[in-house]
């Protein structure tokens, strides 16, 4: 199942999970809702307290898939993402189409934290590039990011703008 092919079902499930748990979505659904309509097949929730969120999801009908090492609800993988993976907690949560999602600056920050210098996480940088292109974001947005991420973000903006101008 991908978000584009089953958008109503995946968004409805994300809406229900965020409403019931208060945990915001990040990852592919957040990227999708912030303006880059890419496909995704799972729901990533920010977990401030992993045990509590895990139990809440079990209470909502999620089951643990030991082989895949993930929760599944209605056949959809649900991943709990922690502060150790994002670098920090979200500073802003917004609602888009009834789904609680991390704010755009947090999403960009998390994606850069995960993707910079880690080739296995290249999708995170690709997401930032597409958000720069489609939202669109300018270099001034870098002021909303941590100091160490500003220069890499500006380089990505230059790369996107150069590619657009060079067409």
């Amino acid at each position: 199942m991908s978000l584009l092919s089953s958008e109503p079902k995946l968004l409805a499930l994300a809406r229900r999970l965020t409403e019931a748990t208060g945990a915001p979505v990040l990852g592919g659904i957040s990227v999708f809702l912030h303006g880059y309509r890419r496909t995704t097949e799972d729901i990533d929730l920010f977990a401030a307290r992993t045990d509590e969120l895990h139990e809440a999801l079990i209470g909502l009908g999620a089951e643990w898939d030991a082989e895949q090492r993930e929760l599944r609800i209605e056949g959809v993988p649900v991943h709990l993402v922690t502060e150790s993976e994002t670098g920090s907690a979200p500073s802003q949560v917004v609602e888009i189409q009834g789904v609680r999602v991390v704010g755009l600056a947090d999403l960009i920050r998390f994606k850069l934290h995960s993707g910079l210098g880690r080739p296995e996480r290249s999708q995170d940088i690709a997401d930032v590039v597409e958000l720069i292109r489609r939202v669109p974001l300018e270099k001034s947005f870098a002021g909303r990011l941590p100091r160490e991420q500003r220069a890499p973000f500006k380089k990505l903006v230059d790369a996107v703008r150069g590619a657009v101008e060079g067409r």
Side-chain angles (χ1 to χ4, degrees):
M1 167 186 355
S2 73
L3 189 55
L4 292 178
S5 65
S6 62
E7 179 179 332
K9 180 182 177 187
L10 202 53
L11 286 178
L13 180 58
R15 191 174 298 116
R16 186 164 61 95
L17 295 180
T18 63
E19 183 179 292
T21 65
V25 170
L26 60 159
I29 290 178
S30 185
V31 170
F32 181 90
L33 291 170
H34 276 292
Y36 170 35
R37 299 180 73 81
R38 75 162 173 93
T39 60
T40 189
E41 297 180 355
D42 63 358
I43 297 174
D44 298 314
L45 295 172
F46 182 79
R49 295 180 186 91
T50 308
D51 292 344
E52 289 178 20
L53 184 53
H54 186 274
E55 289 306 313
L57 292 169
I58 295 293
L60 293 169
E63 296 178 355
W64 178 251
D65 181 336
E67 184 177 316
Q68 295 297 317
R69 298 181 48 89
E70 65 190 9
L71 289 165
R72 288 179 114 24
I73 189 165
E74 297 177 18
V76 175
V78 178
H79 302 124
L80 307 186
V81 181
T82 64
E83 193 170 321
S84 67
E85 296 167 280
T86 61
S88 63
S91 61
Q92 181 185 35
V93 174
V94 297
E95 189 173 297
I96 303 173
Q97 294 185 32
V99 179
R100 292 174 48 85
V101 300
V102 297
L104 183 58
D106 288 326
L107 178 61
I108 298 291
R109 183 167 43 87
F110 296 164
K111 292 288 186 177
L112 290 173
H113 174 81
S114 179
L116 288 173
R118 294 178 57 203
E120 71 275 14
R121 296 294 309 188
S122 62
Q123 180 61 53
D124 291 321
I125 299 303
D127 287 342
V128 173
V129 165
E130 288 303 323
L131 287 166
I132 289 168
R133 180 176 288 125
R134 296 166 193 260
V135 169
L137 299 173
E138 301 297 332
K139 285 184 180 182
S140 60
F141 189 85
R144 298 176 61 189
L145 300 173
R147 194 168 311 280
E148 67 275 7
Q149 291 182 344
R150 292 175 187 168
F153 178 81
K154 288 177 181 180
K155 284 182 183 180
L156 289 173
V157 172
D158 285 341
V160 169
R161 298 295 171 253
V164 170
E165 292 167 7
R167 284 187 193 178

